[in-house]
Amino acid sequence: MTDPRSTLDNVRIVLVQTWHPGNIGAAARAMRTMGLTQLVLVNPRQFPDEEATRMAAGGESLLEQARVVESLEDAVADCGAVVGLSARLRNLPLPQFEEGDDMARELMSLAEDMPVALVFGRERSGLTNDEIACCTHQLSLPANPDYPILNLSQAVQVCAHELYRAWRYRNADDTASTQASTGGREKDLPPTREQMQHFQQSLAAALQEAGFLNQPHAQTLERLQNFYQRSSPTRKELSLLQGALRALVDPAQKP
């Protein structure tokens, strides 16, 4: 049976280019209150910082072990699900969770077997379209339509609470039921972001070589990538697609 504690340890909070160090500390405090420990910072403006430590108020250990990386791709490469927090709709939106509890149930289920991540953008401008493209899902937290703006650490707190609540409910289930439900689970796991990006890069190269991307359709590749993302293939299905693509590029090569 999966160690219940390791499920929470597989949940990663990713903060992208945080401007105010105090928000990093406040986010760490929010995580600590809900049992989350994995904090990743993508190009923070200033870190470490005394203000971050002051605002952590009990979450200092999370700051000490926080991982600082240069890109969002580095932060989520091994994750099977990556949820980007966004208040804005995109032209090509990813599958979207309508409620925080729906997101939490899905992530806690996957976190039994692999890392998952919640991604929070800049205080003023949020996540860019390219950063949203690194995610598998979007989440817009329901709020007052006249003023739906949450402070960064408040958004982290709301999501962390939903995750902790989903974790408690899952671990309240009967042990035998949990063991039975995990049989044969490996084949149904989603690919990591690194595996999906490798497939998409292979697809882009093949289409470029075939002349398909020379057509004047600027969003062709982006639309294809979004299609594969929305279809949510399993690892086995993605492996089949990768093998089929290799066979098309080089018919002499067996998948």
Side-chain angles (χ1 to χ4, degrees), residues 16-46:
V16 177
Q17 290 189 347
T18 309
W19 181 260
H20 297 289
N23 282 334
I24 298 175
R29 179 179 183 178
M31 293 171 60
R32 177 70 188 278
T33 63
M34 296 298 156
L36 302 179
T37 60
Q38 304 302 312
L39 176 62
V40 181
L41 307 175
V42 180
N43 285 330
R45 183 181 69 88
Q46 190 169 329

Side-chain angles (χ1 to χ4, degrees), residues 148-162:
I149 310 302
L150 276 73
N151 171 272
L152 174 59
S153 63
Q154 292 172 338
V156 172
Q157 184 73 80
V158 170
C159 292
H161 175 262
E162 293 286 7

Side-chain angles (χ1 to χ4, degrees), residues 19-137:
W19 181 260
H20 297 289
N23 282 334
I24 298 175
R29 179 179 183 178
M31 293 171 60
R32 177 70 188 278
T33 63
M34 296 298 156
L36 302 179
T37 60
Q38 304 302 312
L39 176 62
V40 181
L41 307 175
V42 180
N43 285 330
R45 183 181 69 88
Q46 190 169 329
F47 184 82
D49 186 86
E50 291 182 359
E51 181 67 6
T53 301
R54 185 180 72 82
M55 292 296 293
E60 294 89 348
S61 61
L62 274 69
L63 299 181
E64 294 169 2
Q65 65 189 27
R67 186 159 59 97
V68 179
V69 298
E70 295 185 357
S71 71
L72 181 55
E73 290 88 347
D74 292 338
V76 301
D78 60 337
C79 293
V82 181
V83 180
L85 272 286
S86 175
R88 302 191 306 273
L89 294 177
R90 265 63 181 186
N91 291 331
L92 296 170
L94 296 172
Q96 183 158 334
F97 290 111
E98 299 295 337
E99 299 288 344
D101 56 345
D102 293 335
M103 170 276 298
R105 285 192 295 269
E106 179 70 17
L107 289 197
M108 294 315 300
S109 175
L110 288 174
E112 291 183 351
D113 299 286
M114 63 194 309
V116 297
L118 269 171
V119 181
F120 299 81
R122 302 154 189 82
E123 289 93 332
R124 289 185 177 272
S125 58
L127 297 169
T128 66
N129 285 348
D130 286 344
E131 288 161 351
I132 286 290
C134 287
C135 302
T136 61
H137 296 78

